Amino acid sequence: MKTPLLHLNNKGIYCQQADVYLDPWKPVKKAIISHGHADHSKWGHQQYITHHTNVPIIKHRLGDINVSGVDWGETFTVNGVKFSLHPAGHIIGSAQIRVEYQGEVWVFTGDYKTENDGISVPYEVVKCHTFITECTFGLPAFKWQPQQEVFHDINTWWQQNKEDENTSILFGYSLGKAQRLLKHLDTSIGKIYTHAAIQNMNEIIRKITPLPETIRITADTKKEELKGNMVIAPPSAQSSPWIKKMLPYVTASASGWMAFRGARRRRAIDKGFVLSDHCDWQGLLSSIKATGAEKIICTHGYTDIFSRFLIEQGYDARTEETQFEEENAEEEKATSQKETDKD
């Protein structure tokens, strides 16, 4: 029986012909990395290949690694297998990985979204025979509002908090969500302060794309300085001593999971904004259709439900278990506890 062009083993998604892995979760000789989130870019590989805008991001997170960057659509060949990276729209530097061998084309999405967030290179449809897709939000219940409506609500919330003389604390990933929030906040309302983990990442991102001015919160920052202003912090900061200096404050989270009734209460926050860096149900379906792929492999999220629906629609769909994790589940493992405690 012919070995598939890509298959999963205990280290990750493997191309045997090229002896190359895509986003492997165990150390390997050669890894192509889709983006900088911690569940997709692990430490320990001998060689990393990624989009050039992702190079400084993963070097910041992983340290001294052997990494090379390529441009969008640039083809590189390994033992006859052609690889290229194409925009995924998930976060800045995020890529889909196209793999071609003897006329057969596979695409691995990593994580992706179809809405242009104004900071990432927008998602690009890549035609293929087999499409490996996440389905983090692969349920019909997930239907995102246009982001301009969400950011109008966020800025209205901030303005009201300022009038009430409260500090606004908005939780979002240190990589991706935080910069998307910054890009669309109304800076005429007040100043934007950031947790150290986010400020450190902002300093990397500013070399790639402009961001509004932000102020690092340190041990010397007084709560009077924060009153009426905005604080962007990673979710891990919510349960740390770091946050207590900011009273009185109002908290909010920006996440796709806020679409679930009761999510805000379970997370003990005051306000939830539904804002995801992943596709909603319709975004997944429209993306799959646009690729022209007949075979679909669902890797993480609501895999069973989503793949069953695809089969009913006539696709050759199946699921594969990976160590990729869902939004808000893994990212903050990359946030240093020292950064939380010292500031």
Side-chain angles (χ1 to χ4, degrees):
M1 187 174 177
K2 181 183 175 183
T3 302
L5 181 55
L6 298 177
H7 68 276
L8 270 77
N9 61 28
N10 65 345
K11 293 183 178 179
I13 300 171
Y14 184 51
C15 179
Q16 182 174 307
Q17 176 64 27
D19 192 19
V20 169
Y21 282 84
L22 315 184
D23 288 0
W25 44 83
K26 289 185 179 179
V28 301
K29 189 162 54 177
K30 182 174 289 188
I32 303 176
I33 303 299
S34 68
H35 66 284
H37 280 155
D39 56 332
H40 289 260
S41 54
K42 301 283 189 181
W43 184 85
H45 311 314
Q46 292 180 32
Q47 181 183 359
Y48 295 75
I49 302 170
T50 192
H51 188 260
H52 66 80
T53 53
N54 192 41
V55 170
I57 292 169
I58 63 172
K59 288 181 75 172
H60 169 72
R61 302 196 115 181
L62 302 178
D64 185 16
I65 57 173
N66 176 21
V67 58
S68 56
V70 297
D71 208 345
W72 300 124
E74 178 182 342
T75 299
F76 54 100
T77 303
V78 183
N79 198 27
V81 181
K82 296 179 181 178
F83 297 90
S84 57
L85 303 184
H86 304 265
H90 173 55
I91 62 169
I92 193 164
S94 62
Q96 304 171 82
I97 304 171
R98 183 184 185 273
V99 185
E100 179 181 355
Y101 183 63
Q102 295 182 345
E104 184 179 358
V105 178
W106 290 50
V107 169
F108 167 58
T109 63
D111 291 328
Y112 67 112
K113 71 172 180 294
T114 54
E115 184 176 37
N116 182 358
D117 61 16
I119 190 166
S120 311
V121 177
Y123 173 81
E124 174 188 303
V125 174
V126 183
K127 298 288 186 178
C128 60
H129 301 103
T130 302
F131 191 59
I132 304 177
T133 179
E134 59 135 319
C135 44
T136 302
F137 294 105
L139 289 179
F142 293 112
K143 183 179 180 181
W144 309 146
Q145 287 180 282
Q147 69 175 2
Q148 61 265 30
E149 296 179 18
V150 179
F151 282 109
H152 175 268
D153 292 344
I154 290 174
N155 286 314
T156 300
W157 170 77
W158 181 12
Q159 180 64 52
Q160 184 60 57
N161 294 339
K162 182 176 184 178
E163 292 172 8
D164 295 339
E165 298 188 337
N166 288 319
T167 299
S168 298
I169 304 179
L170 186 54
F171 296 111
Y173 290 176
S174 58
L175 169 61
K177 188 64 65 64
Q179 291 76 38
R180 185 180 181 187
L181 293 170
L182 285 171
K183 191 76 173 181
H184 297 278
L185 286 173
D186 182 356
T187 55
S188 70
I189 298 173
K191 297 178 180 178
I192 303 172
Y193 288 80
T194 53
H195 182 280
I198 290 174
Q199 188 71 359
N200 291 342
M201 185 57 68
N202 286 348
E203 291 170 4
I204 303 298
I205 301 297
R206 285 185 209 281
K207 298 174 184 177
I208 304 168
T209 190
L211 291 174
E213 181 183 356
T214 55
I215 304 167
R216 180 189 297 266
I217 296 177
T218 70
D220 296 327
T221 305
K222 308 299 183 187
K223 67 178 182 180
E224 290 78 15
E225 300 174 51
L226 303 174
K227 188 178 293 186
N229 291 315
M230 174 67 75
V231 174
I232 307 294
S236 59
Q238 184 181 359
S239 57
S240 73
W242 176 87
I243 201 171
K244 294 178 182 177
K245 69 166 67 176
M246 301 178 196
L247 287 167
Y249 59 75
V250 181
T251 59
S253 177
S255 167
W257 298 114
M258 292 298 109
F260 270 144
R261 185 174 298 177
R264 176 174 58 83
R265 183 182 67 254
R266 286 193 300 275
R267 298 187 185 199
I269 57 174
D270 300 310
K271 182 76 174 177
F273 298 104
V274 182
L275 186 73
S276 177
D277 289 326
H278 299 258
C279 289
D280 62 5
W281 169 263
Q282 194 55 52
L284 290 167
L285 294 178
S286 61
S287 298
I288 289 168
K289 183 178 181 180
T291 66
E294 295 180 354
K295 295 183 178 180
I296 312 297
I297 300 173
C298 305
T299 57
H300 58 295
Y302 289 97
T303 52
D304 292 337
I305 295 171
F306 191 65
S307 63
R308 282 200 300 270
F309 180 83
L310 292 176
I311 291 169
E312 292 170 0
Q313 303 306 303
Y315 290 98
D316 178 1
R318 60 185 172 89
T319 67
E320 288 282 4
E321 287 194 17
T322 66
Q323 293 188 19
F324 308 136
E325 301 193 32
E326 298 172 2
E327 183 175 90
N328 279 344
E330 215 280 345
E331 151 76 6
E332 294 313 323
K333 291 180 183 177
T335 299
S336 168
Q337 189 61 42
K338 291 180 181 178
E339 289 180 317
T340 300
D341 293 341
K342 73 183 181 183
D343 292 320

